[in-house]
Amino acid sequence: MPNKQPKPKGKFSSFFSLVKKTKPSYGMLAFALSLSIVTTLVSLLIPLLTKQLVDGFSMSSLSGVQIGIIAAVFIVQAALSAYATYALNYSGQKIISGLRDLLWQKLIKLPVSYFDKNATGETISRVTNDTMVVKELITNNISGFITGIISVIGSLTILFFMNWKLTLLVLIVVPLAAVILVPIGRKMFKISRETQDETARFTGLLNHILPEIRLVKASNAEEAEYGRGKAGIMALFKLGLREAKVQSLVGPLITLVLMAALVAVIGYGGMQVSSGELTAGALVAFILYLFQIIMPMGQITSFFTQLQKSVGATERMIHILAEKEEDIQTGKAIENADQPIKLEQVSFGYKTDQTILKDITATIEAGKVTAIVGPSGGGKTTLFKLLERFYNPTAGSILLGNEPIDAYSLESWREHIGYVSQESPLMSGTIRDNICYGLKREVTDEELRQAADMAYALQFIEDLPKKFETEVGERGIMLSGGQRQRIAIARALLRNPSILMLDEATSSLDSQSEKWVQQALEVLMEGRTTIVIAHRLSTVVDADQLLFVEQGEITGRGTHHELMASHSLYRDFAEQQLKLNADLENKAV
């Protein structure tokens, strides 16, 4: 079967399959819809009761029973409608909760490469805004669609038995309303789809700017960023105006059709009342049923518009759920991580037509310090990403001892790695939360204090009013750079990793903070396989091995003294670095 033909069917089936994965409460949903149907059926009785009341109306014939029946019908209808609305909202909330759970579970397991290619803000919008579109369909539109169909069919059926001639006149209204509302519904879908995409882009912009608000202010970039945000706001405003224009047509057009039908029914019906062919009560009933035919037309059109929007929203969710996630369980556990790490002809590029690392071959000895040095952009950070298994080499292999590292489960591999970066990111929460972050066991107060003490962090933590329960703020902003680094080191110490990866943890610190952090790092590095990205050469001149990386290749290896003697580019690099450091120290003095 050709692919183009079943495309819409595939989209709708994908939508319903996704909703099914949320394990909705089918019983509650069916009960809510049943109540809505009963409510609609009860509402169909009201014009008939009104007919009887009008036809037999006189003060003497007006009985308490009649009034009681009409009042009871109204009360029952209101009560059923209220509970049906609650039950539908419950079902909608259950489904949206299930969708968000599916997406969150997926996102947290996706590899780093996914987030490199997709804007975080747009991804957030999928979890928040797009799921709300589906909720609107379930809570507001499904019930309106079903009850609207029943109301139209039921009203027309009753009218046909009451007076088929007048019913034929009413029937003209249905296709006329459809001709008006269907094109409007299509237009609304197109606009709403654009609005969803623009909202995702605007959310992405906010998520990009607000976390870096300090950089914005330090760079006097408020006006520039305001301009970018204003452009997104205006784009949404224009889409909102387009939507408002279309929506502004719906009410007047429905009113126009209704009034035209009303005039026709009253005119023709009035003639039948005059001739005795139709009673006054029947004419009143006809008018009431006319409302029950026209008004649901808007609900039916709205359902199809919202269904299209929901299909569009779930398409994007389905794309996320179809992404391949990291399998952290498959593979064996590491029994002995104190082995050399070997890189054998490793090559890598983020894109197929790009090569960042070329035929990297090196051995990182167990229990020793290996420093990776070289000009910026040479591939040092990319090499770290491969060692952390955020990416896999495009060629070659990385071994632990004589075993490829991908033979081990990701969970086991990362349990043996402690990573301290230049930025030392912290999660929003307390100091205790951040030191214990990621551990799957209970940490005693004594262990916590010991790790903080070894990281030279205990003194400043004890000086804080709430000590380990102190909130660090978003990304640890309430702490200084040196304090954040020492908490990151305490976290690594608590994990007790066999392999330590340091992305020059002291490069952005003042001299006093650097002193504390360097002492903490010395404690952390003791007896561990340590790999250091060095931005300042003075911190790694005593490393057991230096690998000089330039333009994705290792062009020199050995100790500092060996490379000074044998590698001219390293010698120039080292002399510049050491001179720069000396100048900085002299200025500081």
Side-chain angles (χ1 to χ4, degrees), residues 318-463:
I318 288 165
H319 286 317
I320 293 175
L321 294 172
E323 290 282 342
K324 187 176 180 181
E325 60 188 52
E326 279 187 327
D327 181 1
I328 65 170
Q329 302 291 341
T330 301
K332 56 187 179 180
I334 297 174
E335 294 180 1
N336 177 22
D338 297 321
Q339 301 181 69
I341 298 171
K342 301 174 186 176
L343 295 94
E344 297 183 347
Q345 297 181 304
V346 170
S347 296
F348 176 76
Y350 293 101
K351 300 176 183 176
T352 52
D353 59 345
Q354 177 191 55
T355 303
I356 304 295
L357 300 175
K358 309 167 194 170
D359 291 323
I360 297 286
T361 297
T363 299
I364 298 164
E365 295 295 341
K368 295 187 177 180
V369 178
T370 296
I372 303 171
V373 298
S376 296
K380 302 186 294 294
T381 301
T382 299
L383 188 55
F384 254 39
K385 290 178 180 178
L386 295 183
L387 290 170
E388 289 180 276
R389 290 175 66 183
F390 289 155
Y391 294 89
N392 294 317
T394 49
S397 57
I398 303 174
L399 310 164
L400 178 64
N402 296 316
E403 193 80 48
I405 61 173
D406 54 15
Y408 301 108
S409 72
L410 266 174
E411 186 176 41
S412 178
W413 175 253
R414 288 173 181 165
E415 276 177 357
H416 286 80
I417 291 178
Y419 177 61
V420 181
S421 72
Q422 193 174 350
E423 297 175 354
S424 290
L426 300 184
M427 303 295 283
S428 180
T430 65
I431 290 175
R432 176 188 292 273
D433 294 336
N434 276 280
I435 294 177
C436 301
Y437 188 72
L439 286 176
K440 297 178 180 177
R441 62 179 179 84
E442 289 294 322
V443 176
T444 65
D445 289 345
E446 183 56 37
E447 284 180 295
L448 190 66
R449 289 177 61 82
Q450 186 178 5
D453 190 27
M454 291 172 70
Y456 291 87
L458 186 60
Q459 182 178 347
F460 88 77
I461 292 172
E462 292 288 350
D463 289 340

Side-chain angles (χ1 to χ4, degrees), residues 165-465:
K165 293 177 182 178
L166 202 55
T167 305
L168 289 177
L169 184 63
V170 172
L171 278 173
I172 298 172
V173 172
V174 178
L176 186 60
V179 166
I180 293 170
L181 292 172
V182 169
I184 290 175
R186 287 176 182 162
K187 188 74 174 174
M188 280 293 294
F189 165 64
K190 185 181 177 184
I191 295 170
S192 64
R193 185 74 179 269
E194 290 178 34
T195 303
Q196 282 174 263
D197 290 336
E198 191 59 45
T199 301
R201 281 191 287 271
F202 185 61
T203 305
L205 179 67
L206 295 179
N207 194 67
H208 172 70
I209 294 171
L210 293 179
E212 303 300 336
I213 194 67
R214 290 159 194 85
L215 172 63
V216 172
K217 291 186 174 297
S219 306
N220 288 325
E222 289 98 333
E223 285 300 316
E225 296 300 355
Y226 170 74
R228 291 173 66 192
K230 180 72 172 176
I233 290 167
M234 289 309 297
L236 285 169
F237 173 69
K238 287 175 182 176
L239 285 167
L241 282 183
R242 285 171 59 193
E243 186 175 0
K245 286 176 184 176
V246 176
Q247 283 182 333
S248 67
L249 294 173
V250 176
L253 285 172
I254 288 178
T255 303
L256 181 65
V257 172
L258 184 60
M259 291 306 294
L262 198 57
V263 169
V265 167
I266 291 173
Y268 185 62
M271 290 168 58
Q272 289 189 320
V273 170
S274 299
S275 65
E277 193 175 343
L278 190 71
T279 65
L283 181 59
V284 171
F286 254 90
I287 293 169
L288 292 176
Y289 280 122
L290 185 62
F291 280 95
Q292 293 199 20
I293 292 170
I294 299 295
M295 299 313 289
M297 288 294 181
Q299 293 176 315
I300 294 167
T301 305
S302 179
F303 166 78
F304 285 111
T305 303
Q306 193 69 26
L307 179 61
Q308 291 279 5
K309 285 168 67 176
S310 298
V311 168
T314 51
E315 270 181 29
R316 290 182 282 265
M317 295 181 216
I318 288 165
H319 286 317
I320 293 175
L321 294 172
E323 290 282 342
K324 187 176 180 181
E325 60 188 52
E326 279 187 327
D327 181 1
I328 65 170
Q329 302 291 341
T330 301
K332 56 187 179 180
I334 297 174
E335 294 180 1
N336 177 22
D338 297 321
Q339 301 181 69
I341 298 171
K342 301 174 186 176
L343 295 94
E344 297 183 347
Q345 297 181 304
V346 170
S347 296
F348 176 76
Y350 293 101
K351 300 176 183 176
T352 52
D353 59 345
Q354 177 191 55
T355 303
I356 304 295
L357 300 175
K358 309 167 194 170
D359 291 323
I360 297 286
T361 297
T363 299
I364 298 164
E365 295 295 341
K368 295 187 177 180
V369 178
T370 296
I372 303 171
V373 298
S376 296
K380 302 186 294 294
T381 301
T382 299
L383 188 55
F384 254 39
K385 290 178 180 178
L386 295 183
L387 290 170
E388 289 180 276
R389 290 175 66 183
F390 289 155
Y391 294 89
N392 294 317
T394 49
S397 57
I398 303 174
L399 310 164
L400 178 64
N402 296 316
E403 193 80 48
I405 61 173
D406 54 15
Y408 301 108
S409 72
L410 266 174
E411 186 176 41
S412 178
W413 175 253
R414 288 173 181 165
E415 276 177 357
H416 286 80
I417 291 178
Y419 177 61
V420 181
S421 72
Q422 193 174 350
E423 297 175 354
S424 290
L426 300 184
M427 303 295 283
S428 180
T430 65
I431 290 175
R432 176 188 292 273
D433 294 336
N434 276 280
I435 294 177
C436 301
Y437 188 72
L439 286 176
K440 297 178 180 177
R441 62 179 179 84
E442 289 294 322
V443 176
T444 65
D445 289 345
E446 183 56 37
E447 284 180 295
L448 190 66
R449 289 177 61 82
Q450 186 178 5
D453 190 27
M454 291 172 70
Y456 291 87
L458 186 60
Q459 182 178 347
F460 88 77
I461 292 172
E462 292 288 350
D463 289 340
L464 295 169

Side-chain angles (χ1 to χ4, degrees), residues 54-68:
V54 171
D55 285 342
F57 185 77
S58 69
M59 293 306 292
S60 58
S61 64
L62 189 63
S63 67
V65 175
Q66 282 180 307
I67 295 172

Side-chain angles (χ1 to χ4, degrees), residues 44 150-160 289-290 292-293:
L44 290 173
I150 292 170
S151 181
V152 171
I153 294 172
S155 297
L156 286 171
T157 303
I158 294 170
L159 288 181
F160 188 80
Y289 280 122
L290 185 62
Q292 293 199 20
I293 292 170

